[in-house]
C-alpha cells in the first residue's frame, strides 16, 4: 500500500500573495492527477436547483458524475442527488473543468467517475460510471475520449 505524507505550511503575506501547491511524487497516480485537476480548476462551484425544485444548493463540479442537456436545461447527476440548472449545453461545457468531457450530443461525464468501457461493433463505446449507470459514447466523441483517457493513464 502506498502512503502519502501531507505537509501543510501556512504562508505569510510577505512570502507570496498566491497559495502554492507543490507535489513531490515518484509518478502521477490517478488520485494525484485528480487533485491537480481540481486545483487547476479552482474547485469551482455552481448554484443548482434540487430535483424537487424546493431550493438551490451550491455544488462543486467535482461532485458531478454526469450531466445531461434536456428540455433547455442541464440535469446534473451526483452520487446522491439530481440538480437542474437553466443553462445551454455549450455554456455549461465552457464553464466546466476539463475533466467533465462531452461524450454525445447531450451528455458530459466526469472522467474520474468512469469505471469501465465496452466497445460496440457500430463504433460507439459504453462507459460504466462509478454509480453503475451506463452511458453511450457516440462515434464522433470516441477518439476525443480515448485521447483524454490515454493522457490520464500516461500520468499514472
Amino acid at each position: 500500500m502506498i502512503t502519502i505524507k501531507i505537509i501543510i505550511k501556512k504562508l505569510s503575506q510577505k512570502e507570496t500573495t498566491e497559495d502554492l501547491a507543490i507535489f513531490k511524487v515518484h509518478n502521477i497516480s490517478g488520485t494525484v492527477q485528480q487533485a491537480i485537476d481540481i486545483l487547476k480548476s479552482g474547485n469551482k462551484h455552481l448554484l443548482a436547483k434540487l430535483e424537487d425544485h424546493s431550493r438551490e444548493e451550491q455544488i462543486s463540479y467535482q461532485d458531478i458524475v454526469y450531466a445531461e442537456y434536456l428540455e433547455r436545461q442541464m440535469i446534473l447527476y451526483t452520487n446522491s442527488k439530481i440538480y437542474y440548472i437553466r443553462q445551454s449545453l455549450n455554456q455549461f461545457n465552457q464553464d466546466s473543468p476539463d475533466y467533465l468531457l462531452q461524450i454525445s450530443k447531450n451528455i458530459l461525464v466526469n472522467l474520474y467517475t468512469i469505471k469501465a468501457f465496452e466497445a460496440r461493433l457500430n463504433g460507439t463505446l459504453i462507459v460504466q460510471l462509478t454509480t453503475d449507470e451506463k452511458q453511450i459514447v457516440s462515434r464522433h466523441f470516441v477518439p476525443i475520449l480515448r485521447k483524454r483517457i490515454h493522457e490520464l493513464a500516461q500520468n499514472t
Side-chain angles (χ1 to χ4, degrees), residues 57-108:
E57 287 186 1
Q58 184 175 351
I59 62 170
S60 173
Y61 282 99
Q62 70 187 22
D63 294 334
I64 298 171
V65 176
Y66 72 98
E68 178 178 24
Y69 183 71
L70 190 63
E71 298 178 6
R72 298 172 61 170
Q73 64 184 349
M74 293 299 302
I75 305 169
L76 312 175
Y77 299 88
T78 66
N79 283 325
S80 58
K81 296 179 183 176
I82 299 172
Y83 298 92
Y84 293 90
I85 185 169
R86 267 248 186 254
Q87 195 173 35
S88 71
L89 175 69
N90 286 337
Q91 187 62 51
F92 183 81
N93 204 356
Q94 287 176 355
D95 294 344
S96 64
D98 290 342
Y99 55 83
L100 285 174
L101 184 70
Q102 187 170 357
I103 61 165
S104 69
K105 186 173 91 175
N106 61 340
I107 303 279
L108 286 90

Side-chain angles (χ1 to χ4, degrees), residues 101-103 109 111 114 116-127 137-154:
L101 184 70
Q102 187 170 357
I103 61 165
V109 296
L111 293 175
I114 296 175
F117 297 95
E118 182 182 329
R120 296 293 175 140
L121 292 175
N122 64 0
T124 62
L125 282 176
I126 304 288
V127 291
V137 182
S138 67
R139 286 181 294 201
H140 173 75
F141 293 99
V142 168
I144 298 165
L145 177 64
R146 286 186 189 272
K147 181 181 176 200
R148 291 295 307 282
I149 295 296
H150 181 69
E151 288 170 358
L152 289 177
Q154 280 190 321

Side-chain angles (χ1 to χ4, degrees), residues 2 4 17 23-24 27 29 33 44-45 48 55 59 70 85-86 92 99 101 121-122 124 135 146 148 155:
I2 298 172
I4 297 176
T17 59
F23 291 89
K24 292 183 179 183
N27 60 8
S29 67
Q33 183 62 49
K44 295 194 281 185
H45 293 80
R55 64 180 184 178
I59 62 170
L70 190 63
I85 185 169
R86 267 248 186 254
F92 183 81
Y99 55 83
L101 184 70
L121 292 175
N122 64 0
T124 62
Q135 295 293 331
R146 286 186 189 272
R148 291 295 307 282
N155 290 331

